[in-house]
Amino acid sequence: MTAVVGGPAPAGDASGVGRYPSRFRASGVKARHLRAHVLVVVWLGLALVAVAVQETLPVARWLAVHMFLLGAVTTAVLIWSEHFAVALLHAKVPDERWSTARLATANLAVAGLLVGVWAARPLLTAVAAVALAAAATAHLVVLVRLGRGTLGGRLKPIVSYYRAATAALIAGTVLGALLATGGAGGPDRYAGLRLAHLHVTLLGWIGLPVLGTLFMLWPTVLGVRMKDRTTKVSRRVLWLAGSGLVTAVTALALGRRWPAVAGLALYLAGVALAAHLFARTVRHSRPVSAAAAWTLAAATCWLTVAVAADLVRLATGPLAAAQTAIDALLPVLLVGFVAQVLFGALTYLLPVVLSTGPRDRAAVRAQLERGWPARAVALNTGVALAALPLPGPAPTAGLLLAALSGAAFLALVAPVLVRSGKGLPADAGPDGVSRRPALWGTAAGVVLTVLAVLAANSGGDPAGGTNAAGTAGAGDGATRTVAVTMADMRIRPARVEVAAGTSLRLEVTNDDAQRHDLKVEEGPATPMLAKGDTRVLDLGPVTRDRQAWCTLPGHRAAGMTMDIVVKDGTATDTAGHQGHTPVAAPDDHGALDLSADYSAGWRSRDAALAPAPGGTVHRVELHAAHTTVEVAPGVKQQMWTFGGTAPGPTLHGKVGDVFEVTLVNDDPGMGHGIDFHAGSLAPDRPMRTIESGERLVYRFRAERAGAWLYHCSTAPMLQHMGNGMYGAVVIDPPGLAKVDREYVLVSSALYLGTPGSTAQVAKMRQNTPDAWVFNGMANQYAKQPLKLRAGERARFWVVAAGPSDGIAFHIVGTVFDTVYKEGAHLLEPGGAGGAQVLDLAAAQGGFVETTFPEAGHYPSSTTTCATPKRAPTAWWR
């Protein structure tokens, strides 16, 4: 390899690696390379087996990804980064025993992670993660020490890629362990950490060493001299890609979208700069290995496409939506980029490392390149089918096509390894002394471990498989699989009874339009599942009662729970049982001081009704989000809002007007919808729940006059409305007379506490709010009264938003001469009668009119139609 670093290739060998470098000729070193590549092939083979059974075994997809990345690719990167670092730095070959120990530790740690995650053994998972991080740290120390006291060659800076990549492996291991052991926190935190984990692993641990190695390997494969500016470009690429990766991963972990976008843009700039140099190198060249050249070129193209697509999706939507996007890009990154790099590199490097001379090398290369055009076309076609949004079985067919291409390559590699192994003593060391072949033992251990995991997760009841309806095999050693569905804010079955010692597996499917997850007490958890997604949770032997629930805010308190009960005798699933949620005592806010002062700079909500806009089509954009507001004097609380306020903006129009409302969900943690009572239309599409980053257009014609309610249409509506997601639509009756002042008052109950918490939901269910308020803030119009002049005529539009109580609206010191309720006049001006109250049930609306006879303070003495506790108070003067 070093023959091309400082100048042209030797005569008769354009590759520059015609002879195995002298520092690697010892039979022990070659034997270690051989055994390491056997490990790579073993992991690849097991990953292919997992891919083949993923349709019938949901756990297999996760296993396939991690066998491939943590098993095959990590082993290859560890062995080749050390190999290339020695060659580029002209350093002494590290002690083989320590290198073998590091590689064996890494592979055993990967096997431990596979078992720990899917057997729900957090301690084993943590220990395996520590072991993998320790092996990576030891590898980083070796790479740093190799650079001490060496002059190196032109491409000495490439070793920095390997060091940065190893640091990325350590970071990825830590993040992965947090995700696997439940240390990631809530769903919002989980999404950011998962994205950070994926990016630091794929773009850091794998992407960086690939980019660095290509600066050296690409011209070697092409059989040409390196460009004079290769060293300078390699430094620039590392700065761009490295700094961009650090920025993006840090921002993703912290949930900051735009810094992550900036970081990915830097990384993409680095990839583009490297690709430009590689493209210029291709001119007027005849590759030493056409198969390796085309495969490496295709891999670089897929990397560029994937990073660009990832950047665009992250820039145009929130982090929660980016999770779905990166999942869709996984086939491109894993197969199109990583697998092709691995295949291309092995195609070129195995003949160099394992052959005994030029003739042998040519024979090995011919073996590995057999049928390569068909294999390359199949693999890249498969990647395209899997990545594109095609209907039907196209994605699955694409993955299987790519897997067949990989299997064909492995079928060619295996005889090469077997033949090379026969030419070496099975236990040869560098000193010729026989020793135990540690890596072969490791390979056997890995095979047995992974096969055990596959067998343990193959599912099914020994007596006949899943039985979600009633009884199943029970007792020590029995395995039980229960189909669990999530829909309509319920988990079904809500109760699962098992005999002590039964190994329980939950096959969890989300049948709801909203995203949900399922977390088992002191056990595993699914990721956020979109509609139709399925994941399997393996709880292992169950020896005590547990509870499982959805972790989205408020969903557990709303009843999305499932009890797992250990009983003697027959095991059952109780679909009709609604579960049991421990309910905390309601928060005691009896000391809420409505006479206290609001914070400095606080302003009451403007209750004046703005005139109806001109035209007959009104376009409005409402953003659903979490907003912290002051809801009572000195009391700030997070509210779920439309347009940043609770209640949301008031819409105003005339009969016949068309409203086109665009709802944008900016809430990173949950879905929302909207329902306008002023319009008449089928609710299926316009009132559907949209997830974070999505938008919908709700278009309706206001055919009837009145004071109308709008609110979030997503279940549980009690919580969404109780936390602020409501507003008013005012449609003027034809011929409505003008008045001096016109106001809108939306009454509602105020529930203090963390939105969606058990304590807050308990208050909602028991109908014990902390206060009743007008326009979202307690006592605000007593602090800043609505002002009129004596003798002015005022109209008060009132909407009862509830969510549970109606109101009886009265203004002390006045008599209403006009009462309009639910689209009809109950009292019109000019008559002899009068009214004292506008009584409204929850979700009803209307208006009253009155004239204030003289200066003074006129409080509103409004009571609820149910249990008056703290009625909203308003003052007029």
Side-chain angles (χ1 to χ4, degrees), residues 340-405:
Q340 286 205 104
V341 163
L342 188 61
F343 295 165
L346 292 179
T347 298
Y348 184 81
L349 293 173
L350 284 181
V352 175
V353 176
L354 301 181
S355 61
T356 57
R359 181 175 299 178
D360 187 35
R361 182 167 64 250
V364 172
R365 182 166 293 152
Q367 165 76 5
L368 296 178
E369 293 186 353
R370 186 177 302 171
W372 75 264
R375 287 189 282 112
V377 170
L379 189 146
N380 287 280
T381 301
V383 172
L385 290 174
L388 293 174
L390 299 176
T396 301
L399 287 177
L400 290 178
L401 189 62
L404 289 175
S405 176

Side-chain angles (χ1 to χ4, degrees), residues 774-786:
F774 278 135
N775 292 345
M777 289 179 276
N779 221 33
Q780 61 174 321
Y781 298 125
K783 300 294 183 181
Q784 294 183 356
L786 306 177

Side-chain angles (χ1 to χ4, degrees), residues 424-496:
L424 290 168
D427 58 350
D431 53 4
V433 179
S434 176
R435 64 166 56 94
R436 183 176 179 271
L439 287 181
W440 286 107
T442 301
V446 166
V447 172
L448 293 176
T449 299
V450 174
L451 289 178
V453 173
L454 284 170
N457 288 279
S458 59
D461 189 321
T466 300
N467 184 343
T471 62
D476 292 340
T479 299
R480 174 99 178 286
T481 301
V482 177
V484 177
T485 59
M486 298 182 291
D488 303 322
M489 299 305 296
R490 287 291 181 266
I491 299 174
R492 296 181 178 88
R495 180 183 176 94
V496 176

Side-chain angles (χ1 to χ4, degrees), residues 47 68 127 151 167 174 196 212 285 397 406 444 587 622 741 834 844:
F68 176 59
V127 170
L151 296 176
V174 172
S285 65
D587 294 341
L622 294 179
R741 307 279 182 173
Q844 288 188 330

Side-chain angles (χ1 to χ4, degrees), residues 552-631:
L552 281 173
H555 286 205
R556 182 182 185 183
M560 287 200 73
T561 63
M562 180 178 71
D563 292 322
I564 302 170
V565 181
V566 175
K567 295 186 67 176
D568 294 330
T570 303
T572 62
D573 306 332
T574 309
H577 181 71
Q578 293 303 309
H580 172 70
T581 302
V583 179
D587 294 341
D588 182 9
H589 289 287
L592 185 65
D593 186 5
L594 296 181
S595 65
D597 292 329
Y598 275 88
S599 302
W602 167 86
R603 294 183 61 85
S604 63
R605 176 175 172 133
D606 187 1
L609 176 63
T616 58
V617 178
H618 311 303
R619 293 181 174 85
V620 181
E621 186 168 290
L622 294 179
H623 290 254
H626 290 184
T627 307
T628 299
V629 298
E630 192 165 5
V631 295

